[in-house]
Structure formats: C-alpha cells, structure tokens
Amino acid sequence: MSQQEIPPGTLDMLVLQTLARSTEMHGFEIAEAIERVSADVFRVEEGSLYPALQRLLIKGYVNAEWGRTAENRRARYYTLTSAGKKQLAVEVKSYETATNAIARILKPGFA
Amino acid sequence: MPIPELIRRLQLLFNRDQASRDLEEEMRLHLEMRAGQVGEASARKRFGNTTAMQQRSRDAWGFTRIDDFAHDIRFATRRIWKQRSVSLTVIAVMGIGIGATTAMFSAVDAALLRPLPFEKPEQLMVVPIRVADESSPRESEINFKAIGRMPELFSHVAAYGVGGLNMSDGTHAARLKVGVVTTDFFATLGANPSIGRVFLPEEGVPGGTRVVVLSDALWKSQFGSKPIAGLKISLNNRTFDVVGVMPPSFTFPERSDVWIPMSVPLTTESFEAFRDFVRQSTIVRVVDNVSVDQARLQLLNRIINAPGQRWPRHLEDNAPWIAQMRSQGGVGESLQTVLSSDRKVALYVLLGATGMLLLIGCANVTNLLLAQASVRRREIALRQVLGATRARIVRQLLTESVMLSLAGAVVGTMLALTALQAIQTLMPSKLLGVTDVHVDLRVLGFSVTLALVAGLLFGMWPALGSARNSAAEAINSGDGHGSTAARSGRLRRLVVGTELALTVVLLIGAGILLRSFSLIVNRETGLQSENVGTMEVAFPMSTKIPDRQRAIDAIVKRIAAMPGVEGAGASKTLPLATAGQLINSIVALGSTEVKKPGTRDAVTMSEDATSGYFTALRIPLLEGRYFNEGEDLAESSSAIVSASIAKRYWAGQSAIGQQFHWNGDTSNFTIVGVVADVPRKLDAEAWDQIYRPLGGNAPFVATIVARSSHSATTVLSQMQAAVREIDPTQPVFSLRSMADVRDVSIAPRRSSTKFLTVFALLALTLASVGVYAVVSYGLAQRQRELGIRAALGATGGNLLALLSTEMAITALIGVAAGVAAAWASARILSGLVYDVDVRDPATFVVVPIVLLFAAMIATLLPARRAFRVNPAEVMRAD
C-alpha cells in the first residue's frame, strides 16, 4: 500500500498525540512514531514537520531541550506541556465532530 | 496574541542567529538518520529543498513581515542616498506643503477643534441676556435671576464683562484689564483658584465688600508672590482686599489681570468706572443629561410661552425674531462657537488653501518620480525576473516615497515652529489667553498622518506604473526612449495641468482678498487719521461732573496751546476702536420716514464730544455748526447727528432745528449740526450716530484727541506733557496714534490676506517649476524622436513650436479649469470680503493672464534647447 500524505491541518494534532504517549522525542523519532503507529499509512513530509514543530514551540504547546541520543549525538528533544495537552483535547474533539458529520453525510440513504 | 507567546517570539527575535543554527543542526541529524534507513540519495530526495524548508520553519516564527519591512527600509535608504538631488527636491517640496498645512492646522486646532480648557466645556453656553441695572430705563429687561430659576436646564449661571481700571501703588499707575464677574463665574467654568478663594455670594450684591481675585501674572509681577493674607490693591482710588489667586493658565476673559465681583443688579457705583457700560456676556452650564442643542430649543420655548415674565422688548412679540431663532434651533450658542466665530471662515479657507498647496507639491513630486521611474525601468525589470512579485516592488517603491514624505514632514514641522508667532495673529481675539497656538501631539500626529497620506498619494502612480511594465520589454527597449515615452509625457502634462488649475484657484482667492483689503485700508472714513494722537484719562469715583468738566477742559486747552497743534478735543470713545457707546433707538419728531411694517427701529449710537473733537479728527460739517464753548462746558439739549440720520428721518428737509428724544425717555434734543458718517469699523456700514455735548456728561474715563502739523509721535508726547503740567498725579493711558488704532481694527483681515497671498505665491512658484521640469524632461526623453524630425528637415524653430504647443494646450486647459472652479466656489470667500464682488471681474481676468505668462516663460526656457538637437548625435547615442 503506498503511503498517503497526512490530511491537511491534522499534523499538529498527530504530533501532539505522539508526544502525549511518550515522555520526550526528537524530530526523527516523532516522524518514525507517526509512520509506525499509523501502520505506515502516513508518511511524514519532512518539509512540514519542522515548521509544525516551530509553530507548536512558539505557541507553548511543546517544550524543547537539547540532549544526547543513544549514539551520543546532539539532538533536540520535545515534550508536551500542559497547555499542549489541553490543546490536544480541543483538536481531537473538533476532529471527532468533523468526522462524525462527514460520516453522517456519507451514510447511504442520506437525503 | 497572548503574552507568553509574544515573549517567546521576542526571544526568538533576539536569538535569531542561534535559533537558525539550532534548526540547521536539528535537520542535519534528521537527514542523517533517514539516510541511515533508506540511503543518502533517497533521504535527500525526501527532504527536498533544505534551504526552502529551513526558510519555512523560520517563517513559522512570524518575522517575515518585519524582515521584509526592515529590508524595504534599508533598500529605500540606499536608493534615496544614491539619488540625492532628486530626494532633496522632494523633501524640500514636501517640507513646504506639509509645513504650511501643519501650521494652519495648529491654528484651526487651537481655535476651533480643541475643547476649551474648562471643565466639561461642551456644557457651556452663551445666552443673550444681561444683568439688569437699577437705573436702566428699560424695565422689561430680562432678569438675570430668571435664568437661575431653571434648574432643570442649567446648573450654573454667570455673567462676565471686560473693563479697565487704574491701579496705583503710590509711585506709579498702571492700567489693568479687569474681568467683572458674578460670584458664580469661576464655579460655572469649573476653575479653581491656586491660592485662597473666589467670590462669596454676599460679595456680589450692591454695596458688597470690595474684594479681588488676582491673576497669577499680576500676583508675581506686582506683589512678588507674597502671601495674600492682608494684601490690598487700589483700583481707581478704591481699595480692594485680595482674597485669591488664579492658576497661571487661567486668564479668561481676554487676558484679565484681576477679577472683581459684578453686583446683581448692577448699580451706578459698580459700572460707572467702565464708561457706564460693561460689555456683558452671560454663560450658563447645562445640566448633565441635557445637551446644548436641547437647552437652546427649551429656552426659546420658555421665552415664547412665558406668562408674566419680563423679557427684553426685542424678544417679546417679535415674530420675525422668533422665526429666525427657530430656524437656528433655539436661543443661545455654545461657548466655543461664540469665542471662535469671528475667525472661523478665515481659518477654514486658509486651511483649504494649504491643502491645495500640498496637492500642488504632491503633483510636482509625482512628476519627478514618474520621470525617475522610466530611468529605473531596467533595474526594476531585473528584480522582477529574479522573483520579486509586483506587490513587493510596489511596496518597496512606496516605502521610498513615504520615507521621503516623512523627512519632508520633519522639515515642514520645523518650519511651522518658526512661524508660530505669525500664526498666532490668526487666532480669534476672544480666545487669546484662553488657548494659544502651539505644536502639540495632536498637531504632530496630524503632520505624520499627512506625510503618510501624501507619500502614498504621490508615490502610488509611479510605483504602479513601474511594476506594470513587462520585464522583457523593459530590458529590451533600453531606457524608455521609445513609444512609451509619449504616453508618459501625456501623463506628466496632465499632472501639470492639474497643478495649474489649483494654482489659479489660489491666486484668484488671494487676489480677491487683496483687493478687498486695499479698498478697506483706503476707505474714506469720514475722518482723517494721520498725525492724530489719542489718549485716555480716568478720574476717581469721588469727583463730580463739574470737576471733571473743568479738568478735561483745562487739559484740552493746554494741549491746543502747544506749538504745532492744529486742534484738540475730548470725547467718550474713539471711532474704529472697540465699543463703549450707548445704544438705543430714537423717536424723531416731525420725521418724514416711511417705515416698512414689521421692521425694527434703527439702532442709534450715542457719543459725547466737544467741538474740538470734530476739528481734531477733521470730521466734515455738512450743515449747521459744531458745538460751541458753552455747550462744551455745561449741560445742554443740543445735538449733532450724522448724515445717515438726517437722511433717514428728515429726507428732503433740513435737519437743523429738528428735535428727537430717546425711546423711553422724554427730554428732547435739538439738532444744531449734521456731520459726515463715520463708521465704527472699517469693514462695516456706518451706523446712525448722534453726538451730545461732553459738557454736562463728563465721563469718568475720557478720550482726548489732538492733531499736529508735525507727526503723531510729537503730539502724543505733547499731550502727556500737558496733563503732567496740570496735574502730575493724573494717570494717562492708551496712548496711541489714530493710525495705529486704525491698523489694529483691520489687523485680523490683514493677517488673513497676508497668509493667503504667501500661499498663492508659493503655489505659483511650484507650478512654474513643475511646468519647467515637464518640458525639460520631455525634451530629454524624446531626443530620438526629435532627432528624427530634425533629420527629416525640421528646424530648431519647428521643434520649439512642437514642444511649446503641447504645453500651451495643457496650460490653457488647466487655467480654464481653474477659473471655472474658482467661479463656482467663489461664494466661500463672501464672509471674508467687504465691498468687493467675490467674482470680481478684474481679478478673474488678470490672474489667468499672469499664470499663462509664467507658464510660457517656464516652457520657453528649457525648450530653447530644442535648437541644439543634433540628429547625428542622437542616432549614435542609443
């Protein structure tokens, strides 16, 4: 199955959710996690990951700290903040509402 | 944007370089790890354009706009510096335009827009009632207190008048400006004293304690800021206790030095020191939930429907007056309107004139930039090729324009600051000391806004034009010597045509004002004011009429005996000076006047004078005689009337020997002489004037006039000497030549005319320069075309004619448009001119001729270079 692009507007939400599941990750790990957990449906376009991370950083939804990887390479590790947690809940809610609405429209027999 | 986010953004702004490096490193690691998975080449492909990605990440920081803006400014600064001479010209032209407009705005702001410096000034209103005086024959005078009995409309009522009193402290005498105010005056305005207190109610009744409130200036200069306890001041030989001092900013009305209480009702004692008459105004403060307009209407209704109230005669039963008041929305006027009314039209006209001047300046600058733009076409095209969007280019060019404009605003504001003194002369006289012209934040804000708008205005066309052209064409066709030059030439001529139209309007306006002013200055005033000196003397309250008569007579005789003096006399007031005469209407016995029904009685002014007064001022005697010696010294029933009275009441017969009396009075006067009309003001019709003999009416304050065969200065010192010889302790003041009095009376008109003339001349200069520039540049631009024509046999003269004709047509159209516009809008000036038709034919003919002549010279000067067009050179050059 070929990989799909992440639906527009949902990258932020997916990043936040990924960080919610673990303590801290650096950019590459986040990309990998999304691809893995989505059963490889999604392929993270690197071109959009880092701008997204910068956005989330500025808005205060994530924190970033420089640290060391297992191979002792310098990497920036991201963690979710409490504000980020709240924002995640908000985005998930709105995504679910949107999805339900679409599902209703797509149900056969909808007049 | 919430605060924490803002802080994070700012932190990023300051650590930008470090953050960029961090980002770079982070992405490198990601790339390496990805390469570890799928190999180097694949990884790079997935990553795509690293530079662009880094840029997009940085974009998330949100500084793009700031960055672009900073870049635009740097770029614009470089360009401005590179084209120094053009930039300097633009700054100079904008400096003139913005400076003039800012200067006028500061006057308009101070006089008309800024709220008065009182508490809640929008609640203050002037109403046409007076404090009644006990001895007034007009019994139906509205009682000041009646207004006070309308608490649902007004929370405060106060009356004020302006007068002068002598202050003596034993060694020397000085004349003070006195505000005569009712006890509630300061409370009505919401003004509090800085020291002590203001007046108490018991000080505002007849015979109340004599107290004064000092102005800050007088307290400092006269009393050295001493504590006020026990301080006294002597005014007209009466002692007053000082009870308070006002803050330095408060000098209302009319730069008063002191305030004394006005007793309600007025008594002979209280106002006799002020020539029997205090020019009063009554102000009220409306209550909080009522607007001035509502109060005006309410007041009118009360007046109409009030049973048992004693309203002034001219308010009662006067249907035309009531109808007029209704059409004006009621009785009374807001205080701000009243204080500024006498200069409102002039100020707005001048502001409009500066606006037009600014437009002309912008037009010149637009042309300049249009010319520049065609030179820069290649450069801009290159930038377009390199990826700059049209919007970006327009923005950059506009940044340049706006920066130049702001620089012009700085220059202009400095110019305005230097002219503040001159601008002050435009202020309404009643506002002097209340608000002054100064450049404050509001004015600066106006200046900056104006600069922004002007910069966009004159920059828009060139900028849009530059960005429009296709890059390829621009790069190929060289520096615009081709066909586009013709179109842009037409554009520039259109702009110049507009300039000329605006200039015509300004010049016509100035021309009309100048004509009106010169007519007024040279007006026959029925008297001759050269070499005449005037002064005033004031007598203590303790003197009696016979004493004053003797003193005045002695002074006049002494002056008349001095060498070179051709005539000396005394009167109560001066013509062309501010008021002070009694006003009433007369009942003429044996009158042949046919009065139209419904018209009001003619208003008649009353002056008291000796025979010498007429001869000193050379007021022509038309019939009968002047007063004689006996009438100069004692009570008599003779009277002299002005020609207008003789014509009005006894047309077709001699007025000599006829009789009249005041309305409401019974004692008759007999006319012994008729003199020429003397207007009270140079720009008004003469009023009906009667003269009573001074003898028998000797006032507390008398005016002495004397004519010399030498000069006014000579006679003034002689007059002073005469008084000193007779009585060294007698204070004299207001020493002025009659010519000065005359000048002061037309000073406002003079300053308006001067300003408008300056603006018009500036406009003429700018427009002429504009014409010159367009022709000159057009010549340079069309070298190739002209060279071809020359090669085909056109002579220098042909080329000259070609260029000139184009400009001539533009000039004719522009001037015609301007004349039409001036014709249509001439009515605006009607409030400012006197005795001259606002559509004065002479001006409307002369101005276009002058302007066309100037345009012709401005065209021929550069166009002469057409003679030097060398076809061979031109062909080689491109």
Side-chain angles (χ1 to χ4, degrees):
Chain A
M1 186 168 40
S2 62
Q3 289 182 310
Q4 285 182 343
E5 256 187 61
I6 295 183
T10 55
L11 178 57
D12 286 15
M13 186 176 64
L14 294 178
V15 168
L16 288 176
Q17 179 65 45
T18 310
L19 286 175
R21 283 210 197 92
S22 62
T23 44
E24 54 176 23
M25 292 182 165
H26 59 69
F28 188 73
E29 285 177 332
I30 296 176
E32 287 274 278
I34 292 180
E35 287 178 5
R36 195 178 55 244
V37 174
S38 76
D40 254 0
V41 167
F42 287 143
R43 167 213 189 106
V44 176
E45 190 62 63
E46 266 95 31
S48 31
L49 177 62
Y50 284 95
L53 284 171
Q54 289 299 310
R55 253 196 327 271
L56 293 173
L57 201 55
I58 288 202
K59 287 210 155 74
Y61 298 149
V62 302
N63 264 338
E65 291 265 338
W66 284 98
R68 292 270 164 193
T69 65
E71 294 89 16
N72 217 15
R73 304 285 309 286
R74 223 168 88 91
R76 189 141 65 167
Y77 282 87
Y78 293 87
T79 48
L80 191 63
T81 64
S82 51
K85 221 181 289 191
K86 286 201 199 96
Q87 179 66 15
L88 174 61
V90 165
E91 290 206 20
V92 166
K93 183 98 205 300
S94 91
Y95 178 77
E96 281 173 352
T97 319
T99 320
N100 288 337
I102 295 176
R104 275 205 304 277
I105 296 175
L106 291 177
K107 223 162 63 162
F110 181 81
Chain B
M1 198 188 298
I3 305 277
E5 187 180 326
L6 183 62
I7 296 182
R8 277 188 287 266
R9 281 191 198 258
L10 284 175
Q11 279 172 336
L12 267 176
L13 183 65
F14 287 122
N15 298 328
R16 238 213 275 204
D17 293 332
Q18 180 62 41
S20 288
R21 282 197 292 271
D22 286 350
L23 205 55
E24 229 180 306
E25 184 176 342
E26 200 178 351
M27 288 203 265
R28 226 177 325 128
L29 176 66
H30 189 127
L31 183 60
E32 279 175 23
M33 290 186 148
R34 184 62 78 189
Q37 272 188 350
V38 301
E40 182 93 23
S42 237
R44 279 204 192 279
K45 217 163 67 172
R46 270 187 73 159
F47 245 70
N49 184 349
T50 359
T51 326
M53 201 207 322
Q54 282 178 10
Q55 184 57 46
R56 270 206 304 280
S57 306
R58 284 199 292 269
D59 281 350
W61 297 344
F63 299 141
T64 15
R65 256 177 308 178
I66 302 180
D67 275 348
D68 282 350
F69 188 58
H71 179 259
D72 284 347
I73 293 195
R74 271 200 304 273
F75 188 74
T77 315
R78 243 198 339 260
R79 282 242 117 244
I80 290 177
W81 182 250
K82 264 183 90 177
Q83 287 153 178
R84 282 192 284 280
S85 56
V86 169
S87 306
L88 265 165
T89 314
V90 173
I91 294 179
V93 170
M94 278 296 112
I96 294 176
I98 297 183
T101 315
T102 304
M104 273 318 302
F105 177 77
S106 64
V108 167
D109 189 45
L112 304 169
L113 299 176
R114 223 186 281 157
L116 296 172
F118 306 128
E119 196 190 309
K120 292 210 202 147
E122 67 280 5
Q123 286 180 331
L124 293 171
M125 200 168 110
V126 174
V127 289
I129 61 172
R130 293 177 43 185
V131 177
D133 64 69
E134 297 174 326
S135 55
S136 162
R138 297 185 289 282
E139 288 182 24
S140 52
E141 185 85 22
I142 189 178
N143 199 324
F144 179 71
K145 296 193 177 128
I147 293 286
R149 278 188 234 118
M150 299 185 196
E152 66 281 6
L153 280 184
F154 307 122
S155 60
H156 292 85
V157 190
Y160 67 90
V162 179
L165 289 176
N166 295 337
M167 173 186 70
S168 49
D169 60 358
T171 45
H172 65 287
R175 186 77 170 169
L176 297 183
K177 263 233 167 122
V178 179
V180 188
V181 300
T182 57
T183 52
D184 217 15
F185 174 75
F186 296 101
T188 308
L189 292 174
N192 294 316
S194 55
I195 298 176
R197 62 171 178 84
V198 290
F199 304 129
L200 302 168
E202 54 263 28
E203 288 156 354
V205 297
T209 347
R210 298 213 188 109
V211 290
V212 296
V213 171
L214 298 178
S215 68
D216 186 81
L218 189 68
W219 179 57
K220 291 200 167 96
S221 66
Q222 197 61 30
F223 298 101
S225 308
K226 272 202 295 257
I228 62 173
L231 216 52
K232 294 187 197 301
I233 185 174
S234 162
L235 298 171
N236 273 25
N237 287 9
R238 287 221 174 109
T239 319
F240 291 74
D241 288 314
V242 176
V243 297
V245 180
M246 293 305 289
S249 55
F250 189 87
T251 56
F252 186 72
E254 292 184 31
R255 291 202 170 135
S256 303
D257 300 308
V258 289
W259 291 268
I260 66 175
M262 179 190 287
S263 70
V264 177
L266 288 179
T267 60
T268 11
E269 191 200 314
S270 52
F271 63 70
E272 212 158 358
F274 304 106
R275 309 164 190 269
D276 297 339
F277 177 79
V278 178
R279 196 175 69 244
Q280 280 183 47
S281 298
T282 301
I283 49 176
V284 295
R285 179 182 286 280
V286 296
V287 293
D288 277 335
N289 48 8
V290 174
S291 76
V292 165
D293 285 325
Q294 289 171 325
R296 293 175 65 216
L297 201 53
Q298 282 282 330
L299 195 54
L300 178 62
N301 292 334
R302 299 283 178 101
I303 290 177
I304 299 172
N305 303 324
Q309 277 283 17
R310 296 190 310 177
W311 304 100
R313 205 172 142 271
H314 71 278
L315 294 183
E316 265 177 17
D317 277 344
N318 195 328
W321 181 83
I322 290 178
Q324 188 191 18
M325 288 294 117
R326 237 192 243 293
S327 70
Q328 287 175 4
V331 172
E333 210 46 85
S334 83
L335 183 60
Q336 178 125 27
T337 312
V338 167
L339 291 183
S340 60
S341 60
D342 65 331
R343 308 307 298 283
K344 192 156 91 141
V345 173
L347 284 172
Y348 278 131
V349 164
L350 286 173
L351 188 63
T354 53
M356 285 199 273
L357 185 61
L358 183 59
L359 278 177
I360 294 177
C362 284
N364 261 0
V365 171
T366 303
N367 262 345
L368 203 56
L369 292 183
L370 280 175
Q372 229 196 1
S374 41
V375 168
R376 292 169 67 174
R377 199 164 296 153
R378 250 198 205 137
E379 172 221 328
I380 292 180
L382 253 138
R383 293 182 30 224
Q384 276 177 317
V385 162
L386 282 177
T389 61
R390 266 185 56 196
R392 187 73 200 277
I393 293 189
V394 169
R395 217 173 58 213
Q396 278 172 334
L397 292 175
L398 282 180
T399 311
E400 222 178 291
S401 313
V402 170
M403 280 181 67
L404 285 173
S405 190
L406 282 170
V410 169
V411 169
T413 307
M414 291 199 293
L415 284 175
L417 276 170
T418 61
L420 270 186
Q421 276 283 63
I423 300 170
Q424 188 74 29
T425 65
L426 290 171
M427 290 289 283
S429 52
K430 295 201 196 101
L431 278 179
L432 291 176
V434 177
T435 47
D436 284 323
V437 172
H438 52 262
V439 173
D440 59 2
L441 279 178
R442 278 161 73 114
V443 174
L444 282 176
F446 177 80
S447 183
V448 166
T449 314
L450 208 59
L452 289 174
V453 170
L456 289 176
L457 192 68
F458 68 68
M460 187 64 77
W461 200 341
L464 286 177
S466 291
R468 190 188 318 143
N469 302 307
S470 93
E473 180 196 312
I475 295 183
N476 283 340
S477 75
D479 271 332
H481 286 173
S483 62
T484 41
R487 212 185 83 232
S488 61
R490 270 201 296 278
L491 226 56
R492 286 197 288 276
R493 279 199 300 277
L494 174 65
V495 171
V496 159
T498 318
E499 278 185 56
L500 289 171
L502 287 172
T503 307
V504 163
V505 173
L506 277 181
L507 279 174
I508 289 182
I512 292 180
L513 278 196
L514 274 170
R515 268 194 62 117
S516 172
F517 185 72
S518 75
L519 279 179
I520 286 173
V521 163
N522 296 322
R523 182 176 167 183
E524 275 291 318
T525 50
L527 56 82
Q528 291 177 22
S529 47
E530 298 73 39
N531 301 333
V532 173
T534 75
M535 71 179 184
E536 297 179 4
V537 290
F539 299 101
M541 304 299 284
S542 49
T543 56
K544 300 268 187 288
I545 289 188
D547 303 323
R548 298 200 292 271
Q549 272 164 208
R550 264 198 300 275
I552 293 175
D553 191 52
I555 293 175
V556 169
K557 287 218 167 66
R558 179 65 65 102
I559 295 175
M562 290 187 151
V565 173
E566 296 177 345
S571 67
K572 250 175 71 175
T573 68
L574 271 181
L576 302 182
T578 47
Q581 296 189 357
L582 282 180
I583 308 178
N584 201 348
S585 48
I586 62 173
V587 174
L589 305 176
S591 159
T592 53
E593 184 196 11
V594 175
K595 247 179 65 158
K596 289 200 271 284
T599 54
R600 293 164 51 184
D601 293 338
V603 152
T604 310
M605 311 281 283
S606 166
E607 175 69 89
D608 298 334
T610 66
S611 52
Y613 169 86
F614 297 97
T615 47
L617 290 176
R618 295 220 179 122
I619 301 178
L621 179 68
L622 301 175
E623 251 196 286
R625 60 173 179 81
Y626 292 135
F627 294 130
N628 56 37
E629 178 111 18
E631 286 151 348
D632 280 351
L633 285 176
E635 184 100 41
S636 101
S637 63
S638 307
I640 294 179
V641 299
S642 68
S644 54
I645 289 187
K647 202 165 77 168
R648 185 192 301 279
Y649 297 107
W650 295 284
Q653 18 167 344
S654 167
I656 307 297
Q658 303 283 7
Q659 297 195 312
F660 66 88
H661 60 84
W662 287 118
N663 217 325
D665 200 17
T666 48
S667 43
N668 284 345
F669 288 94
T670 311
I671 299 180
V672 299
V674 178
V675 294
D677 289 326
V678 175
R680 191 104 285 261
K681 300 197 298 175
L682 280 174
D683 54 0
E685 294 300 317
W687 294 344
D688 290 356
Q689 180 87 46
I690 72 162
Y691 299 89
R692 301 184 306 181
L694 197 65
N697 290 306
F700 284 97
V701 182
T703 307
I704 315 281
V705 296
R707 174 180 292 277
S708 162
S709 54
H710 303 301
S711 72
T713 357
T714 324
V715 76
L716 278 172
S717 49
Q718 288 176 319
M719 289 161 82
Q720 257 188 314
V723 174
R724 255 200 311 269
E725 286 169 28
I726 295 176
D727 179 3
T729 64
Q730 174 68 49
V732 309
F733 47 94
S734 284
L735 285 139
R736 312 172 275 181
S737 72
M738 196 61 206
D740 279 348
V741 171
R742 193 195 157 104
D743 281 345
V744 163
S745 75
I746 47 175
R749 214 175 262 284
R750 175 182 284 124
S751 79
S752 302
T753 309
K754 246 198 312 203
F755 269 92
L756 190 55
T757 311
V758 165
F759 295 149
L761 288 176
L762 279 174
L764 180 62
T765 314
L766 283 179
S768 306
V769 167
V771 169
Y772 181 100
V774 166
V775 172
S776 166
Y777 191 75
L779 182 68
Q781 279 302 85
R782 295 161 70 179
Q783 286 286 315
R784 200 198 255 166
E785 173 203 340
L786 296 176
I788 294 178
R789 286 181 192 261
L792 289 176
T795 63
N798 292 131
L799 294 177
L800 179 73
L802 175 69
L803 291 170
S804 318
T805 318
E806 286 174 341
M807 184 48 83
I809 296 179
T810 311
L812 278 169
I813 298 180
V815 168
V819 168
W823 187 268
S825 58
R827 201 140 30 107
I828 298 177
L829 288 181
S830 56
L832 295 180
V833 300
Y834 177 75
D835 229 16
V836 162
D837 185 9
V838 285
R839 297 197 172 141
D840 179 48
T843 316
F844 270 83
V845 163
V846 166
V847 162
I849 292 180
V850 165
L851 194 56
L852 285 172
F853 187 70
M856 182 178 79
I857 299 197
T859 308
L860 290 178
L861 273 179
R864 285 175 312 165
R865 281 187 266 136
F867 285 101
R868 287 190 246 127
V869 169
N870 184 338
E873 250 178 54
V874 167
M875 293 309 182
R876 257 180 286 143
D878 204 25

